[in-house]
Amino acid sequence: MVEPVVLILAIVVALLAALTVFSRSPISSAFSLVMMMVALAGIYGVSGAHFIAALQAIVYAGAIMVLFVFSIMLLNMNDEHNEIRFRSWKTVLACLGAASVLAGLSYAFIQWSSEANGPTPGIMTLEQIRSIGGNVVAVSGAMFSQAYVQFEFISLLLLVAIASALVLAKRKVD
Amino acid sequence: MTKIVTYKEGRLDKYYIPALLVGLKVTLKQFYKTLFLGQATTINYPEEKREYSQRFRGEHFISVDPTKTENCTACYLCQTVCPADCITIVAGERPEEENPFGVKKEKRPVSFDIDALRCCFCGFCEEACPKDAIKLSRNYEMATLDRETAIYDLDHLKREVKGRG
Amino acid sequence: MTLFDYIAVAAKILFIVGLAFSTVPIMVWFERRGAAWMQARVGPNRVGIFGLMQPVADVLKLLSKEMFIPAAASKFYYNLAPAISAIAPVAAMAAIPFGSYLIIGDHKVNLQIASLDIGILAVLAFAGLEVYPIMLAGWASNNKYSMLGALRGSSQMISYEIALGLALVSMLLVYGTLDLNAMVVYQDQSLLGFIPRWGVFLNPLAALIFMISIFAETNRLPFDLPEGESELVAGYHLEYGASKFALFFFAEYVAMLMASGLFITIFFGGYGLIPGMGWVLSFFQTSLSPDMFQNLTAIAQIAAFVFKVGCMMFFFVWVRWTMPRFRYDQLMHLGWKILFPIALVNLLAVALIIAWIGV
C-alpha cells in the first residue's frame, strides 16, 4: 500500500519533529524543523505532487525558516529558557491543542477517504491531475476559482500582519 | 610625468550602469592587452632580473690590482665612518713582494669582516675610502641560509664582481 | 524502469557531476589567471603548462592539511555546513537540461537528469537551501566575524531572492510554463526573422535584475559581503580549514555554475544552438540518417550549452575583478528600494502586454 520510500521519509519526518520539540538548543531545534520541511517535501515529491513539494521547500525551508533561524541567531537565547517542564499548565495546554488538531485532521482525512468514490472537491487522483495538465494547473485552478475568496482574505490578513508589524516596530524606534 | 585625468560627472552617471560598463571596458581592454599582446608588467624573477641603476648600492666588494692584491691599506677610515658599526679590520704589515707596481702599500688588512646583517648600505665606507678599495656592487641577491654566511671575510670581499668598477 | 534507463540516468548524473568537478579546477585557475590578466600581471604559471596544474596543487595542499575543529564550535553543525553547501547546488543542477535528447538504439534519452514539469521551482528550492550552510557555518564556528558574515549572507540572500523571484515570474508569464525544457524549446524560434527568440531580447530588464540577483545569491563580488576580507577577515568560513574549506570553495564555483546554467536556460536559449551552428549542421542533414542527425544535433547542443555557461562564467570573473564591493546599506538599498520596485513594475508591464497582445 505505502511505498517504502514514503515510509522511510515519514519516519524521518516524525523523528525530526520530535527532535524539534525536545532538543535543547534553539538553533538545533529550528534546524531540525528545516530538515523536517525538506523531508516532508520529499514525501510530496515521491507521491507525485511535485509542485507542492517545490513550494514546501521554497516557502517553508527556503524562506520562512531562514527568518526563524535568523532571528534566533540574533536574539542569542540562553539554554535556561527552554527547559521542558512537563507538569506546567502550558505544556498540558499545548498537548491538548496538538491533540485536537491531530483529531481534526484525522477526522477530515477519514471522511475524505470514505467518500473517495464520489467526486469530492479538493481530492484528485494522479490520473485526474495528469488529465487536467499537471499539478500547477490543478493547484492554480483550485486557488483562483474554488478558493478565490479565501485566498484573497488570506492575502488581506498577511497585509494586515505586515502593517501591524511595521507599526509595532516603528513605535519602539520613536 | 603623471597624467592628470579629470572627469566631469554627467547625467548618465547617476544611473550607475554606464559607469559599470566603462569599468568593464577598462578591465576587458587590459585583459586583452596582457593576454594577447603580452603587456604584463610582471618580471618573472628568477629567470628575468630587474636592471637597477648604476648608483644602486648592493653587496660589498674590495677592489684588487692585477696580482689579486687588495687595494685596501687598512687605514680604518671606513670602520670609523660606518654608522652601523659593521666593519671590523685587523691591520698587519704587508710583505715587500706584494707591491710589484712601485706603489708602496706598507699596511694590509690581516682580516677584513663586514657583517652584512648590520650593514645599512649607506655607502659611507665607499665615500671615505682613499684607495677606492671598498665598494658596493649592484648585486642584490644576498640571501643566505645561515647567519655565518652573511658575515663577509676578506676572501669573500675580494671575489670577482660584475658591477661598478 | 529497465536496466537501460538506470544506466542512462547514471550516465547523466556522471556527466553533470563530472562537469561540476571539472569546471571547478578550471574556474579556480581562470579566476586567478584572469584576475592577473585584467590587472596586467602574469598570475600562477609555474605548476604545469600555463599553470594549469595549480588548482590540483591547491587541492592536494588543502586535503593533506589537518582537520581542525575550533574548541568552542558546535561540532555537528560545524561539520554539516560545508556538506550542505556542496550538495545543494549540485542537486539543483539535476533539473537543468543540457541538451534535447539522444537516440540510442530505439530508446530516447532526455539530456536532463530530472525531467520535471516544475523544473524551475525545483532549481529554486535547492538553491534556496544554499542559505543554510552560510548561517550554520557562521553560527557553529562561534566566532564573531563568522557570525557577522552569516547574518549578512542570510539577509542578503533573502533580500535578493525576492527581486530574483519577481524577475523570474515575469519570464514565466512570457513562457507560460515552469518546465525548463519547454522554455528552451520556446526560445528556439527566431524573433523578427533574424535574432533568436531569447528571453534577454524579450525582457531585457528582467534579465538585468535576474543577473544582479544571481550575483548576490552566489555571494560573488560586488556582493561578497558575507566574506568581505577587509572587514570580516573571511566571514562565515573563517574558522574552516583543510578539506572543509575546500568544500566551501567547491560549493562557490558549483553555485556559480548552477546559477549560470539557470540564467542561460531562462534568458539565453539554454542548450539551444548558437546562431550559425544550425547552418553548419544543415550540411550533414542529407548524409546522415535522421537518428544520427538528432544525435549530432544533441551533441552540438551540449557544446552550445557548455559554451554559453563558459561565457557566463567568464562574465562572473570579469565582473569580480572590475567592481568594488558594496557597502552593506548600499546593498540593501539596491535590493529593496531599486530592484524590487523595478521588478514589480516590470512584472506588471509584462502582464499587461501579455493580456493585451498575447504571447
Side-chain angles (χ1 to χ4, degrees):
Chain A
M1 183 67 195
V2 184
E3 280 182 62
V5 186
V6 176
L7 197 65
I8 293 167
L9 279 172
I11 293 169
V12 169
V13 166
L15 281 179
L16 285 169
L19 208 63
T20 308
V21 178
F22 295 115
S23 66
R24 287 193 161 268
S25 124
I27 283 276
S28 62
S29 179
F31 200 73
S32 317
L33 194 56
V34 175
M35 285 286 120
M36 198 199 88
M37 298 295 183
V38 175
L40 205 56
I43 292 188
Y44 292 146
V46 171
S47 319
H50 298 142
F51 182 57
I52 306 290
L55 283 195
Q56 176 83 14
I58 293 172
V59 175
Y60 287 99
I64 293 178
M65 284 316 294
V66 173
L67 289 179
F68 265 61
V69 178
F70 191 77
S71 48
I72 290 172
M73 289 202 314
L74 271 182
L75 289 177
N76 196 16
M77 276 195 255
N78 294 322
D79 285 333
E80 55 194 87
H81 294 302
N82 33 277
E83 284 168 21
I84 303 161
R85 276 158 295 176
F86 285 98
R87 302 198 173 197
S88 81
W89 59 274
K90 277 182 189 166
T91 315
V92 174
L93 214 62
C95 286
L96 275 177
S100 57
V101 168
L102 184 67
L105 281 177
S106 334
Y107 175 73
F109 187 72
I110 290 164
Q111 281 290 104
W112 283 337
S113 314
S114 60
E115 286 174 33
N117 304 332
T120 319
I123 292 275
M124 283 178 173
T125 57
L126 282 178
E127 285 73 36
Q128 279 173 308
I129 291 172
R130 222 165 274 145
S131 68
I132 293 174
N135 279 305
V136 186
V137 181
V139 170
S140 48
M143 194 185 273
F144 291 112
S145 58
Q146 295 167 14
Y148 180 67
V149 181
Q150 291 93 319
F151 180 72
E152 284 301 313
F153 270 116
I154 285 172
S155 64
L156 197 66
L157 185 70
L158 283 176
L159 190 67
V160 169
I162 292 170
S164 42
L166 263 182
V167 168
L168 284 174
K170 198 80 182 165
R171 196 172 292 161
K172 242 174 227 170
V173 172
D174 295 336
Chain B
M1 192 55 198
T2 325
K3 202 170 95 187
I4 296 167
V5 182
T6 50
Y7 182 72
K8 195 169 172 289
E9 201 172 282
R11 191 177 294 155
L12 275 179
D13 292 310
K14 282 184 187 161
Y15 298 101
Y16 202 62
I17 299 228
L20 289 186
L21 294 180
V22 170
L24 285 172
K25 201 183 90 188
V26 169
T27 39
L28 193 66
K29 209 193 260 173
Q30 190 58 56
F31 182 82
Y32 175 78
K33 275 187 191 167
T34 322
L35 182 55
F36 296 109
L37 308 180
Q39 290 183 3
T41 51
T42 312
I43 293 170
N44 284 313
Y45 166 60
E47 289 96 32
E48 303 167 26
K49 282 180 183 156
R50 187 180 292 279
E51 198 54 35
Y52 281 106
S53 80
Q54 285 294 318
R55 302 174 58 183
F56 183 79
R57 297 194 293 264
E59 195 176 6
H60 319 73
F61 69 98
I62 288 180
S63 58
V64 290
D65 62 17
T67 56
K68 309 282 178 201
T69 310
E70 68 280 346
N71 288 334
C72 178
T73 55
C75 65
Y76 289 90
L77 277 176
C78 51
Q79 186 177 341
T80 314
V81 80
C82 183
D85 204 9
C86 66
I87 305 178
T88 315
I89 305 173
V90 177
E93 198 161 338
R94 191 187 297 271
E96 192 69 30
E97 63 274 15
E98 281 189 12
N99 289 320
F101 297 108
V103 186
K104 196 137 167 75
K105 297 177 190 165
E106 285 175 359
K107 280 171 83 185
R108 71 173 180 108
V110 176
S111 78
F112 193 114
D113 294 333
I114 292 179
D115 188 350
L117 297 173
R118 290 194 61 122
C119 178
C120 62
F121 300 95
C122 59
F124 283 5
C125 47
E126 197 178 14
E127 297 274 330
C129 187
K131 295 279 177 191
D132 272 356
I134 184 159
K135 285 178 177 174
L136 300 179
S137 71
R138 282 160 69 202
N139 177 26
Y140 53 87
E141 288 166 318
M142 301 163 71
T144 58
L145 291 176
D146 49 34
R147 282 161 180 259
E148 282 70 40
T149 329
I151 296 169
Y152 306 144
D153 58 5
L154 192 55
D155 287 338
H156 183 266
L157 289 167
K158 275 167 71 179
R159 80 211 178 283
E160 294 290 320
V161 281
K162 290 188 292 179
R164 279 180 299 175
Chain C
M1 280 171 71
T2 60
L3 182 67
F4 181 82
D5 292 332
Y6 281 112
I7 293 172
V9 167
K12 283 186 279 187
I13 291 174
L14 261 181
F15 177 78
I16 283 293
V17 174
L19 191 68
F21 271 87
S22 59
T23 309
V24 172
I26 293 171
M27 279 311 294
V28 171
W29 173 82
F30 183 71
E31 181 102 69
R32 298 178 64 180
R33 291 222 72 175
W37 289 329
M38 282 174 200
Q39 296 168 350
R41 292 187 287 114
V42 170
N45 61 350
R46 300 278 151 166
V47 193
I49 180 165
F50 300 126
L52 271 170
M53 300 307 276
Q54 184 71 38
V56 179
D58 289 349
V59 165
L60 282 179
K61 184 204 80 170
L62 282 172
L63 290 185
S64 58
K65 275 182 144 183
E66 184 196 351
M67 295 275 253
F68 176 76
I69 296 177
S74 43
K75 266 185 198 148
F76 178 69
Y77 292 114
Y78 179 84
N79 290 325
L80 187 66
I84 302 178
S85 81
I87 290 169
V90 176
M93 284 201 331
I96 296 176
F98 51 89
S100 54
Y101 57 91
L102 285 172
I103 293 170
I104 299 170
D106 50 353
H107 296 276
K108 188 175 146 187
V109 182
N110 282 325
L111 290 178
Q112 185 183 16
I113 295 174
S115 308
L116 299 168
D117 55 348
I118 47 125
I120 185 117
L121 291 181
V123 176
L124 282 190
F126 284 113
L129 293 183
E130 276 177 60
V131 191
Y132 287 106
I134 293 180
M135 298 176 91
L136 278 181
W139 177 79
S141 305
N142 203 6
N143 176 313
K144 56 188 164 197
Y145 296 115
S146 303
M147 184 71 192
L148 283 171
L151 290 177
R152 281 181 173 194
S154 43
S155 48
Q156 168 186 330
M157 285 170 95
I158 296 172
S159 308
Y160 278 78
E161 233 165 52
I162 294 168
L164 181 131
L166 285 174
L168 196 63
V169 168
S170 69
M171 289 319 287
L172 295 184
L173 286 182
V174 174
Y175 298 138
T177 176
L178 291 167
D179 188 352
L180 287 167
N181 217 344
M183 287 183 194
V184 175
V185 172
Y186 179 93
Q187 293 177 77
D188 224 5
Q189 319 289 323
S190 74
L191 192 68
L192 306 175
F194 61 99
I195 46 171
R197 194 161 71 170
W198 286 352
V200 67
F201 298 121
L202 298 173
N203 196 349
L205 198 56
L208 184 68
I209 294 168
F210 195 88
M211 197 180 69
I212 295 173
S213 302
I214 59 173
F215 273 93
E217 290 288 308
T218 49
N219 296 321
R220 291 283 298 183
L221 249 131
F223 301 109
D224 74 333
L225 287 116
E227 48 189 291
E229 304 90 350
S230 48
E231 62 259 41
L232 293 184
V233 197
Y236 62 92
H237 54 56
L238 170 58
E239 295 284 358
Y240 284 86
S243 45
K244 287 171 209 160
F245 176 74
L247 265 185
F248 270 122
F249 210 65
F250 171 77
E252 184 188 337
Y253 287 99
V254 178
M256 271 164 68
L257 186 68
M258 189 272 290
S260 310
L262 187 63
F263 183 68
I264 65 155
T265 304
I266 298 169
F267 290 104
F268 282 90
Y271 59 74
L273 296 174
I274 301 161
M277 279 174 91
W279 182 73
V280 174
L281 277 178
S282 62
F283 285 113
F284 299 97
Q285 191 154 21
T286 48
S287 55
L288 291 173
S289 64
D291 286 2
M292 284 311 291
F293 182 68
Q294 171 57 38
N295 286 352
L296 187 69
T297 313
I299 289 165
Q301 281 167 339
I302 294 175
F305 183 78
V306 171
F307 175 76
K308 286 175 185 173
V309 168
C311 288
M312 193 59 204
M313 298 294 258
F314 174 78
F315 187 70
F316 266 103
V317 173
W318 182 15
V319 166
R320 170 165 183 181
W321 298 105
T322 305
M323 314 284 168
R325 185 181 299 134
F326 274 75
R327 215 170 55 212
Y328 200 72
D329 60 323
Q330 291 171 336
L331 173 95
M332 283 292 150
H333 183 265
L334 178 68
W336 284 103
K337 294 187 183 166
I338 299 175
L339 290 187
F340 178 50
I342 291 178
L344 262 183
V345 171
N346 183 44
L347 174 60
L348 189 68
V350 169
L352 286 178
I353 289 170
I354 287 173
W356 272 330
I357 65 171
V359 183

mmCIF file of all heavy atoms in Angstrom, chain C residues 5 38 71 90 121 149-150 199 203-204 232 236 263 323 328:
data_model
loop_
_atom_site.group_PDB
_atom_site.id
_atom_site.type_symbol
_atom_site.label_atom_id
_atom_site.label_comp_id
_atom_site.label_asym_id
_atom_site.label_seq_id
_atom_site.Cartn_x
_atom_site.Cartn_y
_atom_site.Cartn_z
ATOM 1 N N ASP C 5 17.428 2.343 -18.634
ATOM 2 C CA ASP C 5 17.095 3.632 -18.013
ATOM 3 C C ASP C 5 18.044 3.937 -16.866
ATOM 4 O O ASP C 5 18.513 5.062 -16.719
ATOM 5 C CB ASP C 5 15.656 3.602 -17.506
ATOM 6 C CG ASP C 5 14.676 3.539 -18.662
ATOM 7 O OD1 ASP C 5 15.042 4.030 -19.743
ATOM 8 O OD2 ASP C 5 13.582 2.993 -18.481
ATOM 9 N N MET C 38 43.679 40.784 -16.070
ATOM 10 C CA MET C 38 42.950 42.048 -16.018
ATOM 11 C C MET C 38 43.722 43.107 -15.255
ATOM 12 O O MET C 38 43.418 44.284 -15.339
ATOM 13 C CB MET C 38 41.588 41.841 -15.373
ATOM 14 C CG MET C 38 40.616 41.220 -16.341
ATOM 15 S SD MET C 38 39.103 40.819 -15.561
ATOM 16 C CE MET C 38 38.475 39.617 -16.704
ATOM 17 N N ALA C 71 37.691 24.885 19.371
ATOM 18 C CA ALA C 71 37.290 24.300 20.651
ATOM 19 C C ALA C 71 35.845 24.633 20.996
ATOM 20 O O ALA C 71 35.103 23.788 21.479
ATOM 21 C CB ALA C 71 38.229 24.792 21.745
ATOM 22 N N VAL C 90 24.688 21.193 -6.483
ATOM 23 C CA VAL C 90 24.794 20.037 -7.384
ATOM 24 C C VAL C 90 23.413 19.429 -7.601
ATOM 25 O O VAL C 90 23.035 19.069 -8.722
ATOM 26 C CB VAL C 90 25.771 18.991 -6.805
ATOM 27 C CG1 VAL C 90 25.796 17.770 -7.687
ATOM 28 C CG2 VAL C 90 27.159 19.567 -6.698
ATOM 29 N N LEU C 121 11.029 25.474 -10.372
ATOM 30 C CA LEU C 121 10.774 25.546 -8.928
ATOM 31 C C LEU C 121 11.702 24.605 -8.180
ATOM 32 O O LEU C 121 12.163 24.930 -7.077
ATOM 33 C CB LEU C 121 9.317 25.205 -8.635
ATOM 34 C CG LEU C 121 8.305 26.235 -9.109
ATOM 35 C CD1 LEU C 121 6.914 25.791 -8.727
ATOM 36 C CD2 LEU C 121 8.593 27.578 -8.493
ATOM 37 N N GLY C 149 29.320 37.545 9.290
ATOM 38 C CA GLY C 149 29.248 37.115 7.894
ATOM 39 C C GLY C 149 27.978 36.334 7.632
ATOM 40 O O GLY C 149 27.321 36.519 6.603
ATOM 41 N N ALA C 150 27.610 35.469 8.587
ATOM 42 C CA ALA C 150 26.407 34.661 8.410
ATOM 43 C C ALA C 150 25.171 35.549 8.375
ATOM 44 O O ALA C 150 24.284 35.365 7.537
ATOM 45 C CB ALA C 150 26.298 33.651 9.541
ATOM 46 N N GLY C 199 15.087 34.978 -24.122
ATOM 47 C CA GLY C 199 14.426 35.777 -23.089
ATOM 48 C C GLY C 199 15.040 37.147 -22.925
ATOM 49 O O GLY C 199 14.342 38.124 -22.627
ATOM 50 N N ASN C 203 12.693 40.413 -22.756
ATOM 51 C CA ASN C 203 12.502 41.114 -21.498
ATOM 52 C C ASN C 203 13.863 41.473 -20.896
ATOM 53 O O ASN C 203 14.298 40.878 -19.923
ATOM 54 C CB ASN C 203 11.708 40.208 -20.551
ATOM 55 C CG ASN C 203 11.136 40.956 -19.399
ATOM 56 O OD1 ASN C 203 11.483 42.119 -19.180
ATOM 57 N ND2 ASN C 203 10.283 40.316 -18.637
ATOM 58 N N PRO C 204 14.562 42.436 -21.490
ATOM 59 C CA PRO C 204 15.932 42.721 -21.039
ATOM 60 C C PRO C 204 16.013 43.187 -19.596
ATOM 61 O O PRO C 204 16.986 42.884 -18.898
ATOM 62 C CB PRO C 204 16.404 43.814 -21.999
ATOM 63 C CG PRO C 204 15.197 44.327 -22.661
ATOM 64 C CD PRO C 204 14.172 43.259 -22.641
ATOM 65 N N LEU C 232 35.691 41.531 7.599
ATOM 66 C CA LEU C 232 35.290 40.339 8.352
ATOM 67 C C LEU C 232 36.320 39.220 8.243
ATOM 68 O O LEU C 232 35.991 38.070 8.461
ATOM 69 C CB LEU C 232 33.955 39.813 7.822
ATOM 70 C CG LEU C 232 32.734 40.677 8.050
ATOM 71 C CD1 LEU C 232 31.506 39.956 7.554
ATOM 72 C CD2 LEU C 232 32.578 40.985 9.513
ATOM 73 N N TYR C 236 31.976 33.923 6.929
ATOM 74 C CA TYR C 236 31.407 32.716 7.526
ATOM 75 C C TYR C 236 32.355 31.525 7.471
ATOM 76 O O TYR C 236 32.229 30.623 8.278
ATOM 77 C CB TYR C 236 30.081 32.371 6.848
ATOM 78 C CG TYR C 236 30.175 32.073 5.380
ATOM 79 C CD1 TYR C 236 30.345 30.769 4.945
ATOM 80 C CD2 TYR C 236 30.096 33.079 4.438
ATOM 81 C CE1 TYR C 236 30.439 30.482 3.607
ATOM 82 C CE2 TYR C 236 30.183 32.794 3.092
ATOM 83 C CZ TYR C 236 30.365 31.504 2.691
ATOM 84 O OH TYR C 236 30.456 31.230 1.362
ATOM 85 N N PHE C 263 20.502 30.843 -15.589
ATOM 86 C CA PHE C 263 20.385 32.136 -16.274
ATOM 87 C C PHE C 263 20.330 31.949 -17.781
ATOM 88 O O PHE C 263 19.458 32.509 -18.456
ATOM 89 C CB PHE C 263 21.568 33.027 -15.881
ATOM 90 C CG PHE C 263 21.515 34.395 -16.476
ATOM 91 C CD1 PHE C 263 20.535 35.282 -16.081
ATOM 92 C CD2 PHE C 263 22.435 34.799 -17.417
ATOM 93 C CE1 PHE C 263 20.472 36.552 -16.623
ATOM 94 C CE2 PHE C 263 22.377 36.057 -17.968
ATOM 95 C CZ PHE C 263 21.384 36.927 -17.560
ATOM 96 N N MET C 323 34.464 45.362 -10.319
ATOM 97 C CA MET C 323 33.653 46.151 -9.390
ATOM 98 C C MET C 323 34.235 46.131 -7.983
ATOM 99 O O MET C 323 34.712 45.105 -7.530
ATOM 100 C CB MET C 323 32.241 45.566 -9.297
ATOM 101 C CG MET C 323 31.634 45.242 -10.606
ATOM 102 S SD MET C 323 31.099 46.703 -11.420
ATOM 103 C CE MET C 323 30.783 46.060 -13.030
ATOM 104 N N TYR C 328 27.201 47.804 3.097
ATOM 105 C CA TYR C 328 26.039 46.973 3.360
ATOM 106 C C TYR C 328 24.729 47.727 3.170
ATOM 107 O O TYR C 328 23.760 47.180 2.638
ATOM 108 C CB TYR C 328 26.098 46.368 4.761
ATOM 109 C CG TYR C 328 25.206 45.178 4.823
ATOM 110 C CD1 TYR C 328 25.565 44.011 4.166
ATOM 111 C CD2 TYR C 328 23.973 45.227 5.440
ATOM 112 C CE1 TYR C 328 24.743 42.935 4.135
ATOM 113 C CE2 TYR C 328 23.142 44.139 5.414
ATOM 114 C CZ TYR C 328 23.525 42.991 4.759
ATOM 115 O OH TYR C 328 22.710 41.917 4.714
#
